[in-house]
Structures are given as structure tokens and as C-alpha cells.
Amino acid sequence: QWSPRFPAVLSTTSMEGKVNIYALQDVGERNTSSEFGVTAQPTAGRVRHAPSWLQRPAGGSFGFGGSVASFTKVPAAVSQAATPGGPLPTPIPTFTPTSKLIVKRLETEHGLVVKSERLEEVIASNKFEEFCQDKVDASTNEDEKQTWGFLKVLFNKGGRRQILSYLGYDEDSTRAELAKFAATLPPLP
């Protein structure tokens, strides 16, 4: 039966009333318990690393920025195994504990890579207004032009005052209307 608390531990029972507990990392018994109590036995053949059947022979992982890391075991030497009565010996690769790590950069969409590099340059140089103006000039429809134009205004140093004028409000006329409205209010007691 598998242990509900430790995923790599299992137990077996025998007809003699003994319970043996094993771990996937060990090649021998861990301990033996009987109906009268637990008696610990020294484990023979303790392994300091994972057995070869538990190790992954190869693998890979995707990383940030389009990079892919992969690893594989490196064959040490090729031994010849003679098959009795067979035609020719078959080469059998033997593996050493060394692995080969390969990191590659994949570019599936070159245009996207160019755009992201351009954006990284803009962020590094703090030239957001120029970037937004380039986007306004390259825009094909009016919605894109307005969006990039508004972002350009937000990146401007005096952006708060320019937001009103960009949205079509005049600061002086707004102040005059506010003063005219405030004059119509009754005085406070």
C-alpha cells in the first residue's frame, strides 16, 4: 500500500505477520515492523543518488525571451555486444553521469522580436514621447492615432494641462464658466 503522507514510500505485508516499508529511492528494506513492535533493520545498498531508471535521460524547458534549454546524457563509449549466432555485433551506448546542456534562442516571429527590442531601447532611453509620435505617424486608423496621441500627452511633463486641451477643453473658457456658475450660487450662511 502506498503511503498517503509520503508519495515515494510503500509498505508490503507477508504471511508471517511482518510489514516491510520501502522507498523508491532505496534498493533495500527500510525497516520491518511486527505485531509486537517496530524493529529497525539497517538498509543494505543505500543509494546516494537517484537510480538510473528514475533519472530523466533528456528534457527541456522554455524560458523568457524565446530561449529553450535542453539537456541530454552524453554517451561515453560504444561497446560491442556479440549476439550468439547473430549476424554482426550490435553497438550499445553506455552512459556516464555527465550531461550536455544546450541553450538556444528561438525566433518564431521576427517582426515581434524587432518590436520588442525597439520597446526595450525606448524604455532604456526614456524617449516615450518620440515612440508614441512614431506610433501616431504609423497608425492607419483614427482610433489608433487618438490612443497613441493620448499616451504621448500622458508621457509629457506638463501632461495634466495638455490632457484638457487634447480632449477639447480650453482651460480659460472652463475657468470663466466656473466663475459664472459660482456667481449664481447663493452666499453661504
Side-chain angles (χ1 to χ4, degrees), residues 28 96 108 129 138 145 150 168 176 185:
T96 61
T108 55
E129 290 182 63
K145 287 182 181 183
F150 188 73
L185 294 174

Side-chain angles (χ1 to χ4, degrees), residues 15 18 31 41 74 85 88 90 107 114-116 123 130 134 138 144 153 159-160 164:
M15 298 299 284
K18 292 184 177 181
N31 59 29
Q41 293 181 350
V74 179
L88 290 173
T90 309
E107 290 185 18
V114 170
K115 288 179 182 179
S116 67
I123 291 171
E130 293 176 17
D134 292 343
E144 284 183 20
V153 169
R160 288 188 157 212
L164 292 173

Side-chain angles (χ1 to χ4, degrees), residues 11-164:
S11 64
T12 60
T13 60
S14 66
M15 298 299 284
E16 299 150 352
K18 292 184 177 181
V19 175
N20 295 321
I21 299 173
Y22 298 96
L24 289 180
Q25 289 84 8
D26 294 338
V27 291
E29 288 183 20
R30 266 204 145 153
N31 59 29
T32 305
S33 53
S34 65
E35 57 193 60
F36 301 109
V38 176
T39 58
Q41 293 181 350
T43 58
R46 298 271 320 210
V47 181
R48 295 196 186 278
H49 55 82
S52 61
W53 57 268
L54 191 57
Q55 294 176 349
R56 287 200 266 169
S61 179
F62 288 97
F64 184 74
S67 60
V68 176
S70 63
F71 68 91
T72 182
K73 288 187 176 183
V74 179
V78 177
S79 62
Q80 301 291 330
T83 55
L88 290 173
T90 309
I92 299 175
T94 58
F95 293 98
T96 61
T98 61
S99 297
K100 182 178 181 182
L101 177 67
I102 301 169
V103 179
K104 292 183 180 179
R105 183 172 178 185
L106 297 179
E107 290 185 18
T108 55
E109 295 183 26
H110 183 69
L112 183 63
V113 172
V114 170
K115 288 179 182 179
S116 67
E117 288 174 351
R118 169 75 174 119
L119 184 59
E120 287 176 5
E121 290 174 7
V122 168
I123 291 171
S125 64
N126 261 351
K127 296 182 179 178
F128 300 114
E129 290 182 63
E130 293 176 17
F131 179 73
C132 291
Q133 185 59 46
D134 292 343
K135 289 292 190 178
V136 167
D137 296 339
S139 297
T140 56
N141 61 19
E142 197 60 35
D143 289 338
E144 284 183 20
K145 287 182 181 183
Q146 287 180 356
T147 302
W148 285 109
F150 188 73
L151 286 174
K152 178 184 173 188
V153 169
L154 289 177
F155 284 121
N156 194 345
K157 291 179 181 167
R160 288 188 157 212
R161 294 185 184 267
Q162 290 184 0
I163 287 174
L164 292 173

